[in-house]
Amino acid sequence: MCGIVGYTGKKAAAPILINGLKRLEYRGYDSAGLAVTSPDGIFVEKAKGKVSELVNKLAEHGEDSPFHDSSSGIAHTRWATHGPPTTENAHPHASDRIALVHNGIIENYKALKANLVSQGYKFLSQTDTEVLALLVDSYYEGDILQAVTTALKDVEGTYGIACMSQDEPGVLIVARRGSPIVLGVGDGETIVASDASAIIKHTRQAIYLDDNDIAKIQGGDIDIMSLDSGIVSREASEIDWSPDAAEKGGYEHYMLKEIYEQPDAIENTIRGRMDMERGTAMLGGLGLSPRDMADLNRLVIVGCGTSLNAGLVGEFATEDFAGICAEVEQAAEFRYRNPIINSKDLVLAISQSGETADTLAAVREATDKGALVAGLVNVVGSTIARETGRGVYLHAGPEISVASTKAFTCQVATLLMVALKFARSRRMSVVNGRTFVQEIKNLPNLVKQVLAKEQQIAEVAERYVKYEKMFFIGRGYMYPVAMEGALKLKEISYIHAEGYHAAELKHGPIALLEESMPVVALALKGPGKEKTIGNIKECSARDARVLGIITEGDEEAKSEVDDFIEIPECRLHAAVVPATVALQLFAYHVARLRGCAIDQPRNLAKSVTVE
Ligand code: M6R
């Protein structure tokens, strides 16, 4: 969840490290720090708050300080797990000869710490990372690779680390177990990072470390070993998106930029995967023939947050069109409740980042239980993509905003393709398959029509800025949209928003309805609309203001609500996408009008790599 950057080469390290930290700030932003090596030792600077605070502190050092001319260093932007966000708890953590940055959690840090204290070590922070730094120090006898290798053998838990020693300037040691590390291969230089967005400005050649890999890097020389089995070879691969994709490109926020990228992102998701002639989808990465698919008994979908909400759409569409039993489950719950899984199940793990700890654990549990496991992932080379070995990449491009937008709509587009592929391997006719293909291909067009209404949605948002709580309700395919709309609003505006099945309202939540509790009701034309209109009436009768997400030109629905946003008419499994885009824009403008830090909401991080 935090961000790591490291540099070794011929250039000044600090500007490269700071630039990398800014790229990674979306992963964690409560404190930041940087360390460089020089002939005079290791120099560390840290600051509470955003990377800009660290930049201010670095500026206080004179022109001749090592921060200006050292050509190797490590840096970190933190999302607090152990200990509050303070300067002391910020990384790097250092002894007088070792500095280390770390993502992940050292589970046995208390026992390790007690042992180090008994050896006379003193601790300045409350972090597990300082324990690891001093553990490395305790094993250090002039060979940093050896010291890190030995220390990691004592460690239980997860880590992505970058480490260096005062005696070996220019040498970086990096290692991973459960927390990603990517090496950007340059000309006589290497940029190390926890995510490719920090290296893309310098090189597109990337080596992704595997779990238990440890690498010694000096300039352009990279030696990778496995903690289990000695020297290993890891091929470089090309990052397939451009540096511009990770920039704001003139938008005020990454979130807005990514909302607007959705037509292109969905095009990229479905490109080359639609077979109009045969009325089906081509998802070669799943590695499943129509016969294999016909043989499967069940689709089990796991994910968290937005990916979980997308999974619900997948469940509904698969049961609806393919007639195959489908279930969606929160990934952590899947892991811990001992689910019934067998070899006729396809377990589909959905994750934008491909690094979410709970989803990864569910992948491992499903693999151990003998299921076929596939990933539906955006980040190429991520852990879930690699561990599943089969699946579908979203190709949505980098998603920087903590609030997920384009990942959701691309996930839904992909899940509709999965449902179609299942359906065509069973009862769906080629004619109906072609209609379905056409609907998927039309999704970018539907999104464009909603984006064209941004101004109108912003005006609607003005009427909801003052509220501190809100319900989102929907039925059928609109239920996951209600969940996702509420999630978007709460995470970026801090309004207490809850998504409910519209029918559930009467079973408790209705007690909360009053003038100060508006309701966003998804009441599009299609199955369930009339019942939802009935629920809207119940809300209005209790003085709740109602914002209807309705079908374009539906005068009956308009007459029932106080405000409305119109969505182009289409069947409801497709309407999920434009309806969600409308709610993304609604949440965005409410948060903007409330002056919230939209791209960096409090307490959140982009990818949740702890349980
Ligand atoms: O990378 P993942 O898709 O696995 O992430 C799952 C959730 O952490 C993520 O969707 C989160 O809920 C977002 N902040 C929602 O906007």
Side-chain angles (χ1 to χ4, degrees), residues 123-136:
F123 287 83
L124 304 173
S125 78
Q126 295 140 289
T127 65
D128 53 340
T129 302
E130 189 179 19
V131 175
L132 181 55
L134 297 188
L135 185 66
V136 172

Side-chain angles (χ1 to χ4, degrees), residues 12-27:
I16 294 170
L17 297 174
I18 292 294
N19 182 278
L21 285 187
K22 286 182 177 160
R23 299 256 170 254
L24 297 182
E25 210 170 11
Y26 73 105
R27 298 182 68 105

Side-chain angles (χ1 to χ4, degrees), residues 266-281:
I266 298 170
E267 289 283 5
N268 288 339
T269 299
I270 63 180
R271 179 168 299 118
R273 289 170 166 165
M274 300 273 67
D275 185 338
M276 183 55 107
E277 176 61 25
R278 293 163 69 187
T280 190

Side-chain angles (χ1 to χ4, degrees), residues 478 522-529 549-551 554 567 572 575-576 579:
M478 292 300 118
L522 290 131
L524 296 174
K525 278 187 186 168
K529 179 199 146 185
I549 309 300
I550 63 172
T551 305
D554 184 349
I567 300 300
L572 290 180
V576 166

Side-chain angles (χ1 to χ4, degrees), residues 513-568:
L513 286 187
E514 55 181 354
E515 218 181 315
S516 62
M517 170 71 96
V519 177
V520 178
L522 290 131
L524 296 174
K525 278 187 186 168
K529 179 199 146 185
E530 294 312 324
K531 299 253 183 281
T532 305
I533 293 287
N535 300 129
I536 289 174
K537 287 182 197 288
E538 290 156 9
C539 297
S540 301
R542 284 152 185 91
D543 297 327
R545 187 177 186 102
V546 178
L547 164 59
I549 309 300
I550 63 172
T551 305
E552 215 142 53
D554 184 349
E555 298 304 324
E556 184 216 0
K558 268 185 210 172
S559 69
E560 298 292 349
V561 297
D562 299 289
D563 307 285
F564 58 84
I565 300 171
E566 289 172 285
I567 300 300

Side-chain angles (χ1 to χ4, degrees), residues 65-295:
S65 100
F67 289 115
H68 288 278
D69 54 21
S70 174
S71 57
S72 65
I74 55 177
H76 191 265
T77 175
R78 180 171 185 250
W79 184 86
T81 55
H82 291 60
T86 60
T87 305
E88 294 70 35
N89 287 335
H91 304 205
H93 289 283
S95 66
D96 52 6
R97 52 188 189 166
I98 300 290
L100 182 142
V101 291
H102 165 227
N103 289 351
I105 291 184
I106 308 300
E107 284 165 7
N108 59 336
Y109 81 104
K110 282 188 182 153
L112 295 172
K113 188 171 182 174
N115 193 19
L116 289 165
V117 168
S118 72
Q119 293 174 44
Y121 279 98
K122 297 209 168 7
F123 287 83
L124 304 173
S125 78
Q126 295 140 289
T127 65
D128 53 340
T129 302
E130 189 179 19
V131 175
L132 181 55
L134 297 188
L135 185 66
V136 172
D137 184 274
S138 74
Y139 286 121
Y140 187 66
E141 291 174 350
D143 181 347
I144 183 67
L145 175 63
Q146 187 58 48
V148 176
T149 304
T150 311
L152 291 179
K153 290 190 173 146
D154 291 351
V155 162
E156 289 165 21
T158 56
Y159 54 78
I161 57 164
C163 181
M164 58 191 193
S165 93
Q166 172 198 306
D167 303 334
E168 297 161 83
V171 174
L172 298 186
I173 305 297
V174 295
R176 79 158 272 173
R177 188 200 287 161
S179 203
I181 293 285
V182 54
L183 315 181
V185 184
D187 181 11
E189 62 179 8
T190 305
I191 302 106
V192 167
S194 49
D195 138 1
S197 54
I199 63 172
I200 182 80
K201 187 168 174 238
H202 306 281
T203 175
R204 286 194 175 194
Q205 291 301 308
I207 299 175
Y208 297 90
L209 292 194
D210 277 354
D211 271 354
N212 293 325
D213 281 358
I214 180 165
K216 179 178 181 180
I217 308 162
Q218 184 160 23
D221 296 334
I222 300 173
D223 296 314
I224 307 176
M225 288 131 285
S226 162
L227 286 175
D228 310 318
S229 59
I231 299 279
V232 289
S233 158
R234 304 273 176 246
E235 295 299 312
S237 56
E238 176 135 340
I239 300 169
D240 66 355
W241 39 273
S242 74
D244 294 348
E247 303 279 355
K248 273 194 218 158
Y251 287 91
E252 198 179 342
H253 298 99
Y254 282 113
M255 181 180 178
L256 190 60
K257 177 190 174 225
E258 288 161 10
I259 289 173
Y260 270 88
E261 281 173 347
Q262 288 177 109
D264 286 345
I266 298 170
E267 289 283 5
N268 288 339
T269 299
I270 63 180
R271 179 168 299 118
R273 289 170 166 165
M274 300 273 67
D275 185 338
M276 183 55 107
E277 176 61 25
R278 293 163 69 187
T280 190
M282 296 175 294
L283 301 172
L286 281 181
L288 296 171
S289 67
R291 192 191 169 106
D292 295 333
M293 294 198 88
D295 255 5

